[in-house]
Amino acid sequence: FPTTLDALEERAGASGLWPLMTAYLGIRSRVFDDFLTGAARDGVRQIVILASGLDTRPFRLEWPAGVRCFELDQPLVLDFKLAVLEERGAAASCAHTPVRADLREDWASALEEAGFDATLPTAWLAEGLLPYLPPEADEQLFKEVDRLSASGSRLAVEHVSAVEEMAGDALVRDGGAALGIDLPSLLPDGSKRSPRDQLASLGWRYDECSVLESARRLGRPLESAPRLMEHMFHAFAQRP
Ligand SMILES: C[S@@+](CC[C@H](N)C(=O)[O-])C[C@H]1O[C@@H](n2cnc3c(N)ncnc32)[C@H](O)[C@@H]1O
């Protein structure tokens, strides 16, 4: 967002989208925080956050000794975040390796060149990412995650099952316009196989939960737009 949070809140608060986003993003962060810290508690020492954006988990969460966290995103995004964190004197609480790469290209080589070890079990996260990837990059993501995952690796993704319906919903369209975002223009054309289908065909165990259910489990039900949120899932998979 090319402005400050206060200005955004003022502009978009009335649309209904802003309160829903702020409530939901808190839930999403917590669900995936728990996924990653749970994996680390179970002994996983290699974490890869795909499209980490302005996520600060390597700095914000407490990690056991020996954890390395790779954060992959576009160079401009990582450079901006790391400059801000450095300016504030933030220190990562695990070994931290940024990987500047485009997920539509050969990102796996960039990850391996940065020191990723495919012989170790890994916890992977793709949060707020899949709707923005073109179909080929989406298939490549699951294939490469599978290829690079030792037995016992885990993956969590946020999955939107009806991206076009969501983007066309009046709440999203009007709220997006108030925020200065043309959401449909960020979404690629083409149909994709669901994470469930892709991971099942790769032999992973798979489980998903609607975000409404995630919110209820955390004691923070999302009541304002249940119809809209019905299309969104938190999915968890494990490589046997
Ligand atoms: C909505 S943000 C989510 C960020 C973070 N995962 C979170 O949930 O806070 C989407 C992120 O995906 C990244 N992204 C989108 N397409 C990408 C691509 N082709 N290669 C690398 N990163 C990409 C963007 O740079 C952005 O940081």
Side-chain angles (χ1 to χ4, degrees):
F1 300 121
T3 182
T4 64
L5 279 176
D6 285 349
L8 276 176
E9 194 161 2
E10 197 172 308
R11 234 191 306 158
S15 79
L17 182 63
W18 184 254
L20 178 63
M21 273 175 70
T22 52
Y24 171 59
L25 293 178
I27 285 155
R28 173 171 103 175
S29 298
R30 175 59 192 269
V31 167
F32 294 129
D33 281 2
D34 289 350
F35 164 75
L36 292 175
T37 53
R41 221 178 14 255
D42 292 345
V44 175
R45 291 290 173 267
Q46 188 163 253
I47 310 283
V48 180
I49 304 181
L50 297 166
S52 57
L54 304 186
D55 166 358
T56 54
R57 290 190 174 96
F59 298 79
R60 181 169 62 73
L61 298 178
E62 279 178 33
W63 299 99
V67 166
R68 173 171 294 279
C69 182
F70 295 87
E71 291 196 286
L72 190 147
D73 208 299
Q74 306 181 74
L76 281 174
V77 176
L78 285 178
D79 290 345
F80 168 75
K81 171 168 73 178
L82 296 175
V84 172
L85 288 169
E86 194 181 332
E87 210 177 280
R88 304 286 193 283
S93 44
C94 58
H96 173 228
T97 308
V99 182
R100 293 162 178 82
D102 191 315
L103 287 156
R104 292 164 298 183
E105 293 166 8
D106 180 15
W107 58 268
S109 296
L111 183 62
E112 289 186 290
E113 278 158 26
F116 174 88
D117 182 349
T119 66
L120 298 176
T122 300
W124 303 85
L125 174 62
E127 174 190 32
L129 168 65
L130 296 181
Y132 306 106
L133 286 185
E136 317 78 63
D138 187 275
E139 289 268 339
Q140 174 181 269
L141 181 139
F142 289 104
K143 277 198 197 117
E144 291 293 55
V145 164
D146 177 61
R147 183 177 69 80
L148 295 172
S149 285
S151 169
S153 294
R154 305 167 186 199
L155 166 66
V157 300
E158 182 191 35
H159 167 48
V160 183
S161 64
V163 176
E164 277 167 27
E165 281 93 316
M166 270 197 87
D169 186 283
L171 183 68
V172 175
R173 210 186 41 236
D174 300 346
L179 292 168
I181 302 169
D182 178 8
L183 186 61
S185 75
L186 297 176
L187 303 172
D189 291 331
S191 63
K192 298 177 188 175
R193 286 199 297 151
S194 67
R196 181 193 290 280
D197 285 354
Q198 298 196 55
L199 288 162
S201 64
L202 293 165
W204 289 54
R205 284 201 299 272
Y206 182 90
D207 190 25
E208 71 182 18
C209 161
S210 88
V211 303
L212 292 170
E213 179 55 26
S214 287
R216 271 194 296 270
R217 284 184 195 165
L218 289 170
R220 299 284 182 99
L222 291 166
E223 275 148 1
S224 63
R227 204 175 41 77
L228 188 64
M229 307 307 276
E230 259 166 24
H231 302 302
M232 297 179 67
F233 298 88
H234 295 146
F236 305 92
Q238 183 149 7
R239 185 168 212 229

